[in-house]
Amino acid sequence: MLCLVASFAHANVIQGVRAHEAPDYIRLVLDTSQVSKYSVFALDNPHRIVIDVKDATAGRGLTLALTKDLTHVKGLRAAKRKDGYRIVVDTEVAFAPKTFTLQPIAPYGHRLVTDLYFPKRASAKPEPAPEPRPKARDVMIAIDAGHGGEDPGALGPRQTQEKKVVLQIARRVVDQIKREKGFDAFLIRDGDYYLGHRKRTALAREKRADLFVSIHADAFKSPSVSGASVYTLSDRGATSETAKWLAERENQSDMLGGVGNVSLDDKDPMLAQVLLDLSMNGNRSQSIQVGEAVLRNMGTVTKLHKKQV
């Protein structure tokens, strides 16, 4: 009996199962008591994704009921196995799974995350081909609510999560911009899911955004620090971002200044570097001008933490 108790004490306990849907994938999260050892594979006839968690057991009261309908997902089921615990996702299409672990970050503990990417033809939100930019049009502004999904951001009083606060602010900002003649706006993230930084800027380019604004609600170790700030990409940041961009050959087919200006496809590396530097320097200069205007207006309604961009 002592051996059984010792074995259970070291088991990885699956404490909860959560899922939410993003534009390109469905994220399934297992909340666990420790770092998980796992294997994941896909089966067909019928379609299903199998997640085996090694040396794991189900926590007391664990439920697999989905809180809302998910595109092309029929349900979840699970069973105890000799070497751990198996969860099966029954699906209608052939998802492409990508699995990884996340370290604890308040308010979450250890997590095993499986992203189920939609096949191209079964995407939850098919992306239409970009339309040519009309000559006479409204100024388009992309409003990006920071963080999201398994990245909660900062924690405020009573464990208020930054990702929820900034999404509410972003929605109100979009509504207010849309009421202004000559302006239009859209949300980069319109739900509780995470998008990588490159994906956020790619979405803005696809919709021909003239301005990209990211909203955050930071925290600091001292409660006496407060106020609003405006940031733009620094010289150092611009240089490193250009280097990363050029290092990824597939990104060289992207267009400068959004879509429709200059292609890097037929340029040698040195010319591509010069063109990107010119583009990013121009964007940075314009960003500082816009940031200064935003900061001046924010200073009339709230305390400023930094009086310069």
Side-chain angles (χ1 to χ4, degrees), residues 144 147 151 194-202 212 216 241:
D144 173 37
H147 306 280
D151 177 14
Y194 179 77
L195 294 172
H197 294 149
R198 290 288 179 85
K199 180 63 176 178
R200 295 175 195 246
T201 52
F212 181 96
H216 288 260
E241 181 65 14

Side-chain angles (χ1 to χ4, degrees), residues 66-300:
L66 296 173
T67 57
K68 54 186 176 182
D69 293 336
L70 299 171
T71 304
H72 299 307
V73 172
K74 295 190 290 186
L76 303 178
R77 49 194 171 92
K80 176 69 177 152
R81 295 170 60 82
K82 290 183 179 179
D83 60 345
Y85 197 72
R86 169 170 287 186
I87 293 179
V88 178
V89 187
D90 294 306
T91 69
E92 297 173 345
V93 298
F95 283 98
K98 179 180 179 182
T99 305
F100 52 94
T101 60
L102 291 175
Q103 293 296 317
I105 178 174
Y108 304 118
H110 289 285
R111 289 152 290 164
L112 177 61
V113 179
T114 300
D115 288 339
L116 306 177
Y117 284 88
F118 294 105
K120 291 291 185 181
R121 61 182 179 276
S123 175
K125 296 181 180 179
E127 298 176 357
E131 298 179 1
R133 175 178 286 182
K135 292 183 179 180
R137 62 181 184 85
D138 293 339
V139 174
M140 181 63 74
I141 303 176
I143 303 297
D144 173 37
H147 306 280
E150 291 307 296
D151 177 14
L155 291 180
R158 297 179 297 279
Q159 300 297 296
T160 304
Q161 296 179 358
E162 177 181 0
K163 66 175 184 178
K164 296 180 180 179
V165 172
V166 295
L167 183 57
Q168 293 182 39
I169 295 173
R171 285 171 172 161
R172 297 181 189 187
V173 170
V174 167
D175 290 341
Q176 193 162 349
I177 290 173
K178 283 178 172 291
R179 291 198 292 267
E180 296 292 329
K181 186 177 180 180
F183 290 86
D184 199 359
F186 64 95
L187 288 168
I188 292 292
R189 172 173 74 87
D190 60 0
D192 186 15
Y193 51 85
Y194 179 77
L195 294 172
H197 294 149
R198 290 288 179 85
K199 180 63 176 178
R200 295 175 195 246
T201 52
L203 289 171
R205 286 198 302 272
E206 288 171 11
K207 294 196 176 183
R208 308 292 196 269
D210 299 288
L211 183 66
F212 181 96
V213 180
S214 186
I215 299 176
H216 288 260
D218 295 338
F220 194 68
K221 57 186 178 182
S222 171
S224 63
V225 176
S226 63
S229 304
V230 175
Y231 290 84
T232 63
L233 190 65
S234 68
D235 278 331
R236 183 177 179 181
T239 301
S240 63
E241 181 65 14
T242 303
K244 291 175 186 176
W245 187 299
L246 286 172
E248 300 174 19
R249 294 293 300 178
E250 64 270 20
N251 286 333
Q252 294 195 10
S253 62
D254 284 358
M255 306 292 184
L256 275 78
V259 180
N261 288 335
V262 180
S263 172
L264 297 181
D265 269 347
D266 56 347
K267 308 299 187 296
D268 64 53
M270 184 172 291
L271 179 56
Q273 174 77 57
V274 172
L275 291 173
L276 268 175
D277 283 347
L278 289 171
S279 176
M280 294 197 71
N281 286 340
N283 284 338
R284 180 174 171 273
S285 176
Q286 293 174 344
S287 294
I288 291 173
Q289 293 179 38
V290 174
E292 288 173 345
V294 170
L295 197 63
R296 283 196 302 271
N297 284 278
M298 288 176 66
T300 66

